[in-house]
Amino acid sequence: MEITSAKSPAIGQQRVNCKIEQGIAEVMLSRPDKLNALDLPMFLALVQTLQSLRQMPGLRAVILHGEGRGFCAGLDVKAMLKQPLAALDILKREADEATNLAQRVAYGWRQLPVPVIAVTQGVCFGGGLQIALGADFRFSTPDCRFSVMEIKWGIIPDMSGSVTLRNLMGVDTAMELAMSGRELLAPEAKALGLVSRVCEDPLAEARAFANSLLGKSPDALAGIKHLYRQAWAHSDETMLNEETRLQKQILGRPNQWRATLNGLFGWRLRFGPRRDRH
């Protein structure tokens, strides 16, 4: 696979690898000896990677996965105890920002104007689960274990989990998971709405799904993501107006015509850059 983007460094320490081919970015958490647990350099590396991806007009999809035996074991509590000020640093919020550093590494995937697929295996705990919930889809191995684990440390889920969970399940179920911190396997996680697809090789399926989206208009995909991300939190009237507003931005544009001609005549016209006007 051709590597078209450099690895994403984090203040002198390697934590995240990013490679791009045909507009599909594969972002890999790279701390396998610690099950990709989150320390300050990992937070910084993820934010830097998100910033780079936001600046790529040719980006078409993102696959987010972890190196080694697990997706992410959550917060590296031992590392944070050695750097008590780091815990405060990740909670700092700039006056003009809606999210702090801890929230940005999870919620930031929702803000990208392209489909994001998280691939989970091994463990997906605490902050790692909140990062996966920030993706649009979650493909998992059957034996992957999930937990809203923050209660173990006497804290609450604070990496946008209150926002991302509410669109997937009822408030009682979300609170039960957060209050108990219990572990569940992928089949139960899917039944509860945490997981989109359970499969033996989720990375291969994520790649196949991402490649299938290359044949779709990037403007339409961005519009669908924007629309559906808002729909569950706003009134019918607001969303009906938003549907019309977005459709007017897409209709008659080059990518919409290309999609129409491809659909009518079986052509394979290549789509142009995504129009970020949402």
Side-chain angles (χ1 to χ4, degrees):
M1 180 178 289
E2 180 184 1
I3 298 177
T4 55
S5 69
K7 292 182 178 180
S8 303
I11 315 301
Q13 291 181 284
Q14 184 68 42
R15 287 292 187 268
V16 176
N17 293 326
C18 180
K19 57 185 179 182
I20 301 174
E21 184 178 1
Q22 294 183 324
I24 299 174
E26 289 199 12
V27 178
M28 182 171 66
L29 310 185
S30 185
R31 200 183 177 209
D33 56 318
K34 299 292 184 179
L35 291 174
N36 302 313
L38 301 166
D39 58 358
L40 183 58
M42 179 73 87
F43 279 106
L44 295 173
L46 284 167
V47 167
Q48 290 176 6
T49 301
L50 280 161
Q51 290 172 341
S52 297
L53 293 174
R54 277 197 293 268
Q55 296 168 3
M56 295 180 184
L59 188 68
R60 299 298 310 276
V62 175
I63 297 172
L64 177 64
H65 60 110
E67 182 179 359
R69 296 181 294 112
F71 174 72
C72 178
L75 188 68
D76 187 336
V77 176
K78 290 182 179 179
M80 287 298 183
L81 288 176
K82 293 177 182 177
Q83 296 179 287
L85 293 180
L88 296 177
D89 286 339
I90 65 174
L91 295 179
K92 286 181 180 178
R93 183 194 315 275
E94 299 297 331
D96 59 343
E97 291 281 356
T99 55
N100 59 37
L101 177 63
Q103 294 164 336
R104 208 168 302 140
V105 302
Y107 195 78
W109 306 105
R110 291 172 67 113
Q111 296 175 309
L112 291 179
V114 300
V116 179
I117 311 151
V119 174
T120 66
Q121 81 284 356
V123 295
C124 186
F125 290 162
L129 176 55
Q130 292 181 84
I131 290 174
L133 290 172
D136 302 302
F137 310 95
R138 284 155 298 283
F139 292 6
S140 175
T141 58
D143 59 352
C144 184
R145 293 179 290 143
F146 299 83
S147 173
V148 185
M149 190 171 275
E150 283 77 8
I151 192 68
K152 178 178 180 180
W153 314 114
I155 58 176
I156 65 171
D158 64 347
M159 290 172 57
S160 76
S162 61
V163 173
T164 52
L165 273 179
R166 73 183 179 193
N167 292 339
L168 298 176
M169 60 183 59
V171 63
D172 56 340
T173 304
M175 284 199 299
E176 184 266 319
L177 293 176
M179 289 179 175
S180 68
R182 70 181 180 89
E183 294 184 19
L184 53 156
L185 291 174
E188 183 183 359
K190 185 178 186 305
L192 294 178
L194 288 176
V195 169
S196 311
R197 188 183 300 183
V198 178
C199 40
E200 292 298 330
D201 193 344
L203 183 56
E205 294 211 18
R207 287 169 174 162
F209 179 52
N211 274 284
S212 75
L213 298 178
L214 295 179
K216 309 294 190 297
S217 166
D219 297 341
L221 292 175
I224 290 169
K225 176 168 179 173
H226 179 83
L227 189 66
Y228 280 68
R229 281 299 180 200
Q230 293 190 81
W232 272 249
H234 292 83
S235 69
D236 290 357
E237 181 180 0
T238 297
M239 294 316 304
L240 291 170
N241 288 330
E242 188 69 356
E243 283 182 0
T244 302
R245 185 185 73 83
L246 289 172
Q247 193 73 296
K248 286 180 177 178
Q249 289 185 358
I250 293 171
L251 280 172
R253 302 296 184 184
N255 279 331
Q256 192 263 317
W257 277 112
R258 293 182 183 107
T260 299
L261 293 171
N262 287 348
L264 283 174
F265 304 112
W267 296 353
R268 295 185 179 180
L269 298 176
R270 297 187 65 177
F271 292 106
R274 184 183 62 252
R275 292 176 60 86
D276 290 332
R277 290 192 175 186
H278 306 304

